[in-house]
Every structure is written in C-alpha cells, then in structure tokens.
C-alpha cells in the first residue's frame, strides 16, 4: 500500500465523467489513500454523465486543503460547474502553492485554467480544450498522461491506466 496515510480530495458535481471519477478513487484507495468526495453539499448524491451516482462525504465549506495531500479533478461536464466555486479555486491554488499533487483528466483542465496555475506548465487534456489550455499559458501535448512537477494530466478514459500509474508515482514522490 504505497499511499497509506495520504488524504485526497476528489471533487464532484453533477455530470462528472463516471470513469474519470471512480477509476482514480478506487485505484488510490487500493493503494491505501483516504479519498474523500467533496461537493457543494455534504451527503448529496451527484449523478455522473452515464448515471453512476457518487455521494459526497463533505461540502466544500467543511474541507481545509491543508489537511490533504493531493486533489483529483474529474472530467465530464462537472469541471465547468466546479470552477465557479471560489472554494474549489482556493483548493487548487493551495495545492499548487504547496506543490502537492493535482490530478486532472479530460475537461478538468477548465478548473486549473480558472485557478490560473497553468502558465509555463506542460499538460494534456481532451483535444476539445487544447486551445483553452494553451491560451492559459500551458504547452499542450497529445499524450496519454503527462506530469510536470506535481501536476499530472490525462486526456480521456482510455488513458486511465497510464494516468493512474503516473499519478501514483507522483504522489509517492510528494509524500509528507
């Protein structure tokens, strides 16, 4: 269990990409990490794009990012909603300032764009937001998974195995 004693925020809102939330959550839990689902409200059921539910453990207002070692931002349409919450932006900015791992896949790059943390970073995402990523100052590459320091990005569900191998490796490097 390579990630024992690590705590991870997994952001959630309606229309998350089912696999892009649950695959990372399960893999990190298999490695011993505590993964908390965090949404606008605690104990709320959020429904993924394909109907898979996820119930939040905590509300944004109940979470202190200082208590966590990493953050996961799933894709789907949820990132367009998540980036509108000041708490989410604060969580991502805090993780970036503290050089704690940030995992983002597919459309999740929108949250990082809104947090203004992509300047000078090399990332990937779904090709549909490539221009958004480059306009935010990032260098975009078409690869299954890319890490630039503590930031790990991936394109889409078929890339999940590569994404999680890279994310787990980065999380091991950044353990407290």
């Amino acid at each position: 269990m390579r990630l024992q004693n690590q705590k991870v925020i997994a952001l959630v809102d309606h229309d998350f990409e089912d696999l892009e939330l649950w695959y990372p959550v399960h893999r990190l839990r298999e490695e011993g990490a505590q993964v908390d689902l965090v949404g606008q409200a605690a104990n709320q059921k959020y429904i993924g794009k394909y109907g898979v539910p996820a119930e939040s453990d905590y509300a944004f207002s109940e979470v202190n990012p200082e208590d966590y070692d990493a953050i996961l931002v799933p894709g789907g349409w949820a990132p367009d909603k998540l980036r509108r919450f000041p708490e989410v932006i604060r969580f991502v900015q805090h993780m970036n300032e503290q050089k704690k791992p940030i995992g983002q896949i597919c459309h999740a790059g929108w949250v990082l764009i809104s947090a203004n943390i992509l300047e000078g970073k090399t990332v990937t995402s779904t090709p549909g937001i490539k221009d958004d990523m480059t306009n935010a100052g990032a260098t975009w590459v078409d690869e299954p998974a890319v890490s630039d320091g503590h930031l790990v990005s991936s394109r889409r569900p078929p890339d999940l195995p590569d994404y999680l191998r890279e994310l787990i490796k980065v999380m091991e490097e950044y353990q407290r």
Side-chain angles (χ1 to χ4, degrees):
M1 302 229 286
R2 299 181 283 174
L3 303 178
Q4 198 162 359
N5 301 321
Q6 289 209 33
K7 288 179 64 180
V8 180
I9 295 171
L11 297 172
V12 65
D13 205 326
H14 293 291
D15 298 319
F16 61 87
E17 204 318 319
D18 305 58
L19 286 172
E20 293 171 0
L21 174 70
W22 284 115
Y23 187 104
V25 166
H26 289 307
R27 279 294 297 120
L28 296 180
R29 286 176 177 166
E30 287 172 352
E31 292 296 341
Q34 174 185 321
V35 183
D36 294 332
L37 300 181
V38 181
Q40 182 180 11
N43 305 309
Q44 181 171 330
K45 186 184 289 186
Y46 296 92
I47 304 299
K49 283 174 50 178
Y50 303 106
V52 177
E55 186 172 319
S56 57
D57 300 302
Y58 299 103
F60 299 141
S61 61
E62 299 173 322
V63 171
N64 181 350
E66 291 180 20
D67 297 335
Y68 288 85
D69 303 293
I71 191 166
L72 287 173
V73 188
W77 303 124
D80 191 34
K81 299 169 189 171
L82 289 167
R83 67 182 176 165
R84 300 173 196 196
F85 293 99
E87 301 95 335
V88 169
I89 299 305
R90 184 174 51 84
F91 296 163
V92 171
Q93 289 173 337
H94 173 82
M95 294 297 184
N96 188 59
E97 290 162 5
Q98 298 301 311
K99 305 292 187 227
K100 293 181 179 180
I102 299 170
Q104 70 96 25
I105 184 168
C106 198
H107 286 85
W110 280 337
V111 175
L112 281 61
I113 290 166
S114 293
N116 287 318
I117 67 164
L118 292 181
E119 183 72 38
K121 296 290 187 181
T122 299
V123 296
T124 194
S125 66
T126 181
I129 67 166
K130 172 186 175 183
D131 292 343
D132 300 330
M133 303 289 271
T134 58
N135 288 336
T139 299
W140 188 90
V141 294
D142 189 10
E143 295 180 17
V146 175
S147 61
D148 187 336
H150 61 286
L151 176 59
V152 180
S153 56
S154 189
R155 297 178 302 196
R156 51 189 162 258
D159 300 324
L160 281 162
D162 293 320
Y163 172 50
L164 268 294
R165 275 191 294 275
E166 193 62 27
L167 182 61
I168 290 167
K169 183 176 90 175
V170 168
M171 288 178 67
E172 284 181 296
E173 292 170 6
Y174 285 90
Q175 284 190 41
R176 343 180 208 167

